[in-house]
Structure formats: C-alpha cells, structure tokens
Amino acid sequence: MKIRFPIILKIALLGLLVTSLGSGVALTISTLNQNKRSEETLIENIDKSLYSVDYMFEEGDNSQDLLAGLKNVKDYIKTVYSNPDIKEKTLKDFSSFEEYEKYFQERDSWVFPPPGAMIASPAYLEFRKNFKEISHILLEAHLSSGARAAYLCYEEDDGDKKRLIFMGDSRITYTEREEGSFYHLPGSHYDLKPQDIIIDEKNELYQGYKINSYLTRFIELTETLEDGTEAPVASLFLEYDRKEIQKRSMDILFSELIILGSVMVVVIMLYMLIAYFTITKNLKKLTVATDSISHELKQANNITPKKLEFRSHDEIASLASSFEVMEEEIVNYVNIIKKEAKENERREAELEVASNIQLSALPASSYLDENVELKAFIKPAKVVGGDFYDYFYHDDKFFLIIADVSGKGVPAALFMMKAKQLLKAKITSESSFRKAIAEVNNELALNNESSLFVTSFIARIDFEKEEICYINAGHEKPYILHNGEVIKVDGTANFVLGGMEDIEFEEETIKFEKGDTLLLFTDGLNESINSKQEEFSYERVENTFKEGKDLSLEEKIHLFQQRLQEFVQNEEQFDDITIVTLKREDSTLSLRYRNKDYQIIEDCVNKFQEAFPNLEEEKKSKVGIALDELLNNIISYDESEQLEIDITFTKLQDDMKVTISHNGQDFNPFNQDNEVKVLQGNEDLESLNPGGYGVFLVQTLSKSQAYTYIKDHATITLIF
Amino acid sequence: MEIRIKHEDAFIIEFVGRLDTVTSLELQKALDQEEVKENLVIFDMKETEYISSAGLRLLLSLKKNLTKQGKALEIHNVNDICKEVFKVTGFVNVLTIK
C-alpha cells in the first residue's frame, strides 16, 4: 500500500492546528483584554515605547545639551518677561510692523512667538540657537516615542502669577494662572502628577483615568544641584493618539504571534526529524519486511521468516519482535494451508463429479406423452443433494416418485442413489405395490449404520381407471388440481423408508381424472424460511398452486420459484428444493380417416364423446351436429382418388377446438352467400326447399369458424 | 340408434340417438314401410340426443306429406339443443312443438 498520509505529517499537522488554534484563542483573549483593561494597557504600551526617550534624556550628551540649552532659553525668556516695558506689549500695540521691530531691536529682546521675520538681535540669535537644539531633541523624542507631538514645559513663578511655558518643535508659547487656580491651556494641570493628566478631545482638563482620544505622558527632567539633590527643571510632554496606540499594540501582538508561530514550526520540524529517525524509519523497516513476506506468500513455495535488527528498545522494537513471532506462525500456517488447499481442490472436483453423476441419474425434468405431461424442478442446497424424483412406466401404469433423504452432502447422495435404484428395481419386479415398497424399506434399513432414511411419495397412476394408487412414506402431502380446485392428498402417512425393518405400508387411492394436475414437492419448499424465520408453509404452497391453476406446467413451476424468491429474499437456502408437476392429458384427440364412407361420422362422434366424457352435454351435441354437417359435405363433394380426413379435438380452457383437415374440394363453407331462409311459419309448405341448413347450423352453434386451404389441404377450424 | 313406432291414439315415433345424416336415412326407410292411419303423428324426441340438418329435412318432408293427407304432426319432448336448432332455423314456426 502506498502511504499517502505519513504519521509524522499527521502529527505535524495536528501541531500546527493546535498552534493556530492556540494563537487564535490568545489573540481573541488578548483583543478582549485590550478593550477591557484599556487604560492600563495603553499606559503600559506607552511606557514600552518610551525606553528610547528615557534613554535620550537620562543619559549621554543629549541630556546635557538639553539642560544647557534649556537654561539659556529659560534665562532669555525670563529676561524678556521680567522686562516690564516689553512684557505686556503685543503686536496689536504697534501701528506698524516696522514700529514693532524697532521697539524690540532697541531693547535687544524679543517676545515670543517671534513675529515671523528673523531679526538679528544678538540675544535673540543666542536664544534661537539654544531653542533650535531643544527643538531638535524634541523632534527626536517625538519621532522615537511614536507620539503625535512632544513638548517641553516648565513653570515660572512670577510673583503673584505662575506662568507655564511650552516649547514645541518649532515654537514657544505660554499660559498663566493666578495662585490657587488652573491653567487654561491644552497641556497639563501643573498640580497633578504628570502621568495622571489626561486631556480629552475638547481640550478640557480632567483628573484621574479616563478614556480619551489623546493621552499625554510626562517625563520629568531633573538637574543635580550642588548639594547633590535632584531638582525638577522641566517636563517633557508626549502626546499620544489613543487609536494609534491601540493599533500599534495590536501590531505588537501580531508580531509576537508570528514569532511564536515560527518557533512552533521550527519545533515541529525538529520533532518530525526526531520522529523520522525513531518511529518512521523503524516502521518502514517493518513494512519492507511485511511486504517481502507477502510477496513470497504470493509467489514462492519456500518462505523464510525475516530477522529484523532493531537497536532501540521502544514499543516499535517490541512490535517488531512480535512480528517475527507472528511471521514464523504465518509461514508454518501457510504451508499447512497450501497442503490443505490442494486436498480441498481434489475433493471439490470429486464433489462436482458426484453432483454430475447424481443429476444425470435423475430422469429428464420434462416429459410428455399421450397420457401425461411432466415438469420437474430440483435445486440442491449443497453441491450434492439428497432430494430426487423418478418416473417410469411399468405394466401400463405410470410411476412417479419423489423423495428426500435425511442429511446432506455425499452420504445423503449415496443413500439417495441406493434408494432410487431400489425403488425402481422392486416396483418393476414385484407384482404387489405394497410389498415392493416394504422390500425397499427392508433393504434400506439393513445395515443402515449412519441411520439415514428417506421420506417418499410413490404414485402409481392408472390412466384407464383415472386414479392414483399411492404410498406416502412420511413425505409432504401432495396436492391435486381438479376443475380449478386444489385437493390435498391426505391419505395415511406411513413411516419413512429405511428407518426400521419389517413395517407394513398402507396404500391409498385417489381420483385423478383427465385434466387434473398433481403437485409433488419436498420439505425444502414449504419449510423455506425468510429473514423473520417464517416458513413458506403449506398454505403458501396451496395458494400458489391455486393461483397458477390456468398456467402451463412450466409456468406453474416458474410461479413457484417466483413466489418463493419473493418470500425468502436473500435468505440462504438450507435444504434441497424439489417440485414435480404432472398433468393428466385430456387436451387432444386425433382421428385419421382414409375411407370415403358416411359411417366415419358416427365413429368420429363416438370417439369424440368417449375422449371428453366431462364435456357439457350441450357442447357435445353442438360438436356432433357440426361433425355431421361438415363430414357429410366433405364426403358428398369429394372427387379425390383417396379421401384423407384428419380430425383433431383440443380441449382449451373453456372451449373445445375442432380442426377438420381434408384433401377434398377447396370449398369454404363459411364464405358463401348462404341465404338461409329462417322459417316464419307463413310460407307455402310445398315451396320450401328442405336443404341448406347444414352450414348455417354449424355457424350458428359454434363460437367461431375459420377456413384455410394450403398445399392441397383444406382445414376447417371451429371453436365451441 | 333405435326407432320405436307405436300405434295408439296417435301414430307415435320414438327416436333414440342422434338424428343425423345416416340415421335420418334409416328413419326414412323405417317410416316408408309404415302406413299412417291415425290423424295425428307424434314425433317423440325424448331420447333424441340432437338433430342435424338431415333430420330437419326429414321432419319437413314428413310435415309436407302429412299436411297433404290432412293429418297433423306434433313434436314432443324436445331437449335444449334440439329446441335451439328448431329456433334458429325458424322450424318452431312451421312445426308444432309441444
């Protein structure tokens, strides 16, 4: 067999399936959790993305540069703000831009945001330089943290007011508050811890955790003072888009899954490799060994058990050793079977010969003569059966035997042959019917060590007396079909043949008239069972026989086979089935006349009436009249040298067919314009023509008439 | 076949058997030998099996002859088949069947 789905592939597929399922479940749970633990997870995720930013601000030159730059910027801004002269001035306070520029140039300072044009004030330039550095760092922080924006901010205490200064990538802005109030700017609530500050879409400030579109993260920047303590300098604001973070965290999850999957694939491949060397390879070894044994079983005569070498000590090695033991057993067994097969072949051939001998010992299944028609059917359950039938004439009587030997197979068949020969031999040699059967019984019972016996129905049919004299030796009771009615042949049941010596057999007599049919069968028929363990039964045999009352013998047997098949369906036949039908012929009477003499009419009518004694009187008379008229005509008009008349009477189901064939004139009596005058009673008696009524009567009394003329022979066919 | 002829109040002919081609010739022969003196002839068919056209011819000619002589013919005890023959041929209308 070709292996289409190796085990390791199956296991690997299973592994993959489990992994994918696991990943799927993990993903689902994770997604669900993501939504549930939104805030915590978001913050965690943000923290994860801040490693680089933390590093940027906590270590290295970046931090130093930032702090130095910030100090300068702070100083500059402070200078500007502490100058009361310029502090409150804004662009709207000047009538023109030139005036605005002039005002600040004179004071060598700029309020911010700077008014667009780059004015080269030395303080401002210094400030720009520092701010640029800060911007640069902020941009870097912004990009590396994945935030949508980054700001640096610090608070200045300006006496009665506090001012929060924001530095972005490109500009600086500020907001102020009174002592004890809040800033009203997008950004932070200064009094809160940075990580607690959340700003919603409407730029309102809230305290605590709340889901919003933006989430702001603070990093506090500190400076080490001379006394060694850390002092806050500024805070870094990182503003995140909540949706963006969620998306990113999913991406992270996916990438984790991909990594997990890849690991699984590698593990599975490793596993397959190991499985191949520990399981598959060894199994293959076993397969090869098994195949080679199978091959040898098919081809060679000498089979040698194979030795399998296994280094491992696992289940497969154990299987292999069992296999070796089994192999040896098989080899031994096969050798025995081979011997027995040869023996069986010989035996079967012998059985076939025996079966042929047995079947050829039975007479033909079909027989017909002027007295009887016979059709038989036998179906052995095994090759050689125990049923048989026989028929022969002896002393002008027709003997019909049906028998069933107890047991099956060869012993039954041998006993059957013996019984069959004995029956015929004794019946034909012994003058007394009863005595003949008694002798058969004694011979069969003598030295009958295997205690076999025969049930048999032996019928002696006397055609003249129209009766059957029979002996029923323990056999199924037959049926007779008489005028459409089924009669059971219910005479004395004697003991079986061969069962016990010196028994008397009673003979019985039953009417068997012309047209009657006898049905004989063995118990294989009525005891055939269907799947419900029901028997075909006498009742069904009787009903089937009655159902086929109008059928020919052959059709009757077919009907039995059909009804039996419908009944048993697929159940196995366990006994021989034999059916024999015999019909007493009454159907035809053939008469030949070669003399031209009116006396043949009387002879013909007499013989017809004798041949069909059961025919209704009216029909008999009609046929008689027709014969008189037609034969009279034929003889009267004949001009041949030698008149030949052949008459056949055939009894049909309800009708009588009469065929008259002759070599006389080609004259169709029924094709004439027979103007027969049906007398009315008012005719002149003298003028009446006394002839012409013959053919008219034939036409009137018969049901149908036909005439043919072929090869110098005229044939008249009449149905009555 | 048997023919019994009786001379009682009437001239009685009893015919036993089939009245067909052959037997009607014989009956005719037998009747030819008889002289009918009675005024009534009874043809008793009690034991007549059947009658063919030859028998019909015989009866018709007998009827003719008797009518000429002014005598009557009666057919007695007709069985079913004979009745049918008389009927289909219309002889029932010509013969006196009792």
Side-chain angles (χ1 to χ4, degrees), chain A residues 598-599 601-603 605-606 609 617-618 620-625 628-629 632 676-683 685-697 700-701, chain B residues 1 18-26 49-58 60-61 63-65 67-68 79-82 84-94:
Chain A
Y598 287 104
Q599 288 305 321
I601 300 175
E602 194 187 353
D603 181 73
V605 174
N606 285 343
Q609 293 194 345
E617 286 304 317
E618 192 196 331
K620 265 190 211 167
S621 296
K622 285 180 176 175
V623 172
I625 293 168
D628 185 48
E629 305 295 356
N632 186 13
V676 171
K677 198 168 186 197
V678 174
L679 300 179
Q680 302 299 322
N682 53 1
E683 294 92 349
L685 263 184
E686 282 306 311
S687 70
L688 285 178
N689 178 3
Y693 289 102
V695 172
F696 174 71
L697 274 182
T700 315
L701 300 178
Chain B
M1 184 213 67
R18 309 163 197 146
L19 189 51
D20 60 15
T21 312
V22 176
T23 55
S24 50
L25 287 174
E26 288 176 29
E49 199 179 316
Y50 59 75
I51 181 167
S52 76
S53 62
L56 291 178
R57 273 198 298 276
L58 182 141
L60 189 62
S61 81
K63 168 85 180 174
K64 278 184 188 175
N65 286 336
T67 309
K68 267 184 216 166
N79 72 5
D80 285 349
I81 187 71
C82 293
E84 190 179 346
V85 171
F86 287 139
K87 201 175 159 189
V88 298
T89 51
F91 271 60
V92 280
N93 301 321
V94 176

Side-chain angles (χ1 to χ4, degrees), chain A residues 382-656:
Chain A
K382 285 186 181 174
V383 182
V384 186
D387 278 10
F388 73 92
Y389 63 89
D390 201 4
Y391 56 85
F392 48 87
Y393 271 104
H394 173 62
D395 205 10
D396 278 344
K397 303 204 172 52
F398 188 83
F399 284 87
L400 174 60
I401 301 162
I402 190 165
D404 180 4
V405 177
S406 64
K408 301 278 158 290
V410 176
L414 288 173
F415 202 72
M416 170 230 135
M417 297 291 269
K418 191 176 170 189
K420 182 177 166 292
Q421 280 166 7
L422 270 174
L423 277 164
K424 189 167 183 178
K426 293 294 176 190
I427 286 168
T428 52
S429 64
E430 181 60 57
S431 57
S432 158
F433 185 33
R434 287 176 58 202
K435 219 172 158 191
I437 303 305
E439 279 184 26
V440 171
N441 175 53
N442 284 346
E443 292 254 354
L444 287 175
L446 194 69
N447 299 328
N448 181 5
E449 279 162 17
S450 28
S451 295
L452 288 167
F453 61 85
V454 190
T455 72
S456 183
F457 186 91
I458 308 113
R460 188 185 66 187
I461 303 163
D462 190 326
F463 297 119
E464 238 167 67
K465 289 186 187 166
E466 295 199 63
E467 62 182 30
I468 296 175
C469 176
Y470 64 89
I471 290 175
N472 186 348
H475 197 79
E476 316 311 301
K477 284 167 181 165
Y479 291 103
I480 286 175
L481 185 67
H482 175 73
N483 284 344
E485 291 301 317
V486 174
I487 301 158
K488 195 169 194 174
V489 183
D490 206 6
T492 315
N494 294 284
F495 197 58
V496 296
L497 298 179
M500 195 193 293
E501 277 176 79
D502 300 326
I503 342 174
E504 296 279 310
F505 287 88
E506 295 294 324
E507 61 179 41
E508 303 262 352
T509 306
I510 189 165
K511 268 276 155 205
F512 191 57
E513 295 177 6
K514 285 181 178 172
D516 288 355
T517 306
L518 174 67
L519 170 72
L520 298 177
F521 55 95
T522 57
D523 59 4
L525 177 63
N526 56 314
E527 288 176 8
S528 279
I529 53 162
N530 64 8
S531 58
K532 294 177 195 158
Q533 299 296 311
E534 293 165 342
E535 288 193 354
F536 188 66
S537 77
Y538 274 110
E539 199 187 338
R540 282 194 182 82
V541 173
E542 195 179 325
N543 290 344
T544 309
F545 194 33
K546 193 162 185 180
E547 185 190 348
K549 69 183 166 68
D550 295 333
L551 301 175
S552 70
L553 294 188
E554 186 145 16
E555 288 165 336
K556 278 186 174 79
I557 289 195
H558 282 153
L559 184 69
F560 268 107
Q561 286 176 275
Q562 193 190 329
R563 292 286 172 268
L564 186 64
Q565 181 56 43
E566 286 161 5
F567 180 75
V568 300
Q569 300 285 350
N570 296 323
E571 281 300 301
E572 200 192 345
Q573 181 194 345
F574 67 88
D575 198 0
D576 300 349
I577 295 170
T578 305
I579 304 170
V580 181
T581 53
L582 177 133
K583 189 179 183 196
R584 173 75 167 100
E585 283 294 343
D586 72 342
S587 54
T588 57
L589 169 69
S590 296
L591 299 171
R592 282 164 63 88
Y593 294 105
R594 294 296 177 260
N595 45 337
K596 190 175 174 178
D597 185 343
Y598 287 104
Q599 288 305 321
I600 67 169
I601 300 175
E602 194 187 353
D603 181 73
C604 174
V605 174
N606 285 343
K607 283 186 173 152
F608 160 70
Q609 293 194 345
E610 281 164 28
F612 299 98
N614 297 327
L615 202 66
E616 311 97 273
E617 286 304 317
E618 192 196 331
K619 215 165 250 188
K620 265 190 211 167
S621 296
K622 285 180 176 175
V623 172
I625 293 168
L627 286 171
D628 185 48
E629 305 295 356
L630 293 172
L631 291 176
N632 186 13
N633 275 356
I634 292 164
I635 295 166
S636 305
Y637 293 109
D638 172 55
E639 288 169 354
S640 67
E641 288 176 13
Q642 167 73 58
L643 179 62
E644 296 174 4
I645 306 178
D646 291 296
I647 307 168
T648 311
F649 299 92
T650 310
K651 174 79 181 76
L652 305 173
Q653 192 52 44
D654 295 315
D655 298 332
M656 172 60 68

Side-chain angles (χ1 to χ4, degrees), chain A residues 156-223:
Chain A
E156 269 184 2
D157 201 343
D158 197 19
D160 56 337
K161 280 188 181 169
K162 288 188 188 297
R163 187 181 296 119
L164 190 66
I165 300 182
F166 281 87
M167 277 172 260
D169 298 353
S170 55
R171 65 191 188 107
I172 297 171
T173 184
Y174 73 94
T175 182
E176 288 177 342
R177 65 173 173 117
E178 298 293 332
E179 187 69 51
S181 68
F182 295 109
Y183 290 114
H184 298 288
L185 249 195
S188 72
H189 187 290
Y190 186 69
D191 293 339
L192 299 175
K193 287 180 183 170
Q195 63 267 38
D196 290 343
I197 295 173
I198 290 156
I199 300 150
D200 78 348
E201 281 166 322
K202 294 172 186 166
N203 288 338
E204 286 168 358
L205 295 174
Y206 292 93
Q207 184 175 354
Y209 295 96
K210 192 159 180 191
I211 307 295
N212 287 300
S213 298
Y214 299 108
L215 197 144
T216 313
R217 182 80 167 88
F218 282 70
I219 296 171
E220 200 164 62
L221 301 179
T222 53
E223 188 182 31

Side-chain angles (χ1 to χ4, degrees), chain A residues 59-262:
Chain A
E59 312 215 358
D61 299 334
N62 263 339
S63 183
Q64 295 306 314
D65 290 349
L66 183 75
L67 290 175
L70 189 59
K71 198 172 181 299
N72 290 338
V73 168
K74 269 183 171 177
D75 290 344
Y76 175 71
I77 289 171
K78 197 166 185 170
T79 316
V80 173
Y81 276 103
S82 59
N83 184 346
D85 189 31
I86 59 172
K87 187 176 156 192
E88 299 302 329
K89 287 276 182 196
T90 59
L91 192 58
K92 66 177 188 291
D93 297 329
F94 300 95
S95 57
S96 69
F97 186 66
E98 284 74 25
E99 195 184 331
Y100 171 81
E101 279 188 328
K102 193 169 167 249
Y103 180 83
F104 284 105
Q105 268 178 344
E106 280 166 3
R107 286 157 186 84
D108 194 23
S109 70
W110 288 94
V111 75
F112 45 87
M118 288 296 124
I119 308 292
S121 133
Y124 184 68
L125 284 179
E126 182 60 25
F127 157 75
R128 283 295 305 171
K129 194 183 141 217
N130 289 317
F131 179 65
K132 211 172 177 180
E133 266 175 28
I134 292 168
S135 306
H136 188 73
I137 289 163
L138 282 174
L139 189 65
E140 216 172 299
H142 167 197
L143 294 177
S144 66
S145 67
R148 65 186 286 276
Y151 310 97
L152 199 63
C153 69
Y154 65 90
E155 190 175 51
E156 269 184 2
D157 201 343
D158 197 19
D160 56 337
K161 280 188 181 169
K162 288 188 188 297
R163 187 181 296 119
L164 190 66
I165 300 182
F166 281 87
M167 277 172 260
D169 298 353
S170 55
R171 65 191 188 107
I172 297 171
T173 184
Y174 73 94
T175 182
E176 288 177 342
R177 65 173 173 117
E178 298 293 332
E179 187 69 51
S181 68
F182 295 109
Y183 290 114
H184 298 288
L185 249 195
S188 72
H189 187 290
Y190 186 69
D191 293 339
L192 299 175
K193 287 180 183 170
Q195 63 267 38
D196 290 343
I197 295 173
I198 290 156
I199 300 150
D200 78 348
E201 281 166 322
K202 294 172 186 166
N203 288 338
E204 286 168 358
L205 295 174
Y206 292 93
Q207 184 175 354
Y209 295 96
K210 192 159 180 191
I211 307 295
N212 287 300
S213 298
Y214 299 108
L215 197 144
T216 313
R217 182 80 167 88
F218 282 70
I219 296 171
E220 200 164 62
L221 301 179
T222 53
E223 188 182 31
T224 313
L225 298 178
E226 280 167 11
D227 59 358
T229 55
E230 295 280 315
V233 180
S235 290
L236 181 70
F237 271 58
L238 289 168
E239 192 178 274
Y240 291 88
D241 186 328
R242 191 180 292 276
K243 280 179 189 158
E244 180 66 22
I245 287 166
Q246 276 169 345
K247 190 172 162 281
R248 205 167 338 130
S249 64
M250 290 303 282
D251 289 348
I252 291 167
L253 191 69
F254 274 123
S255 60
E256 279 173 355
L257 283 177
I258 287 166
I259 292 165
L260 188 71
S262 314

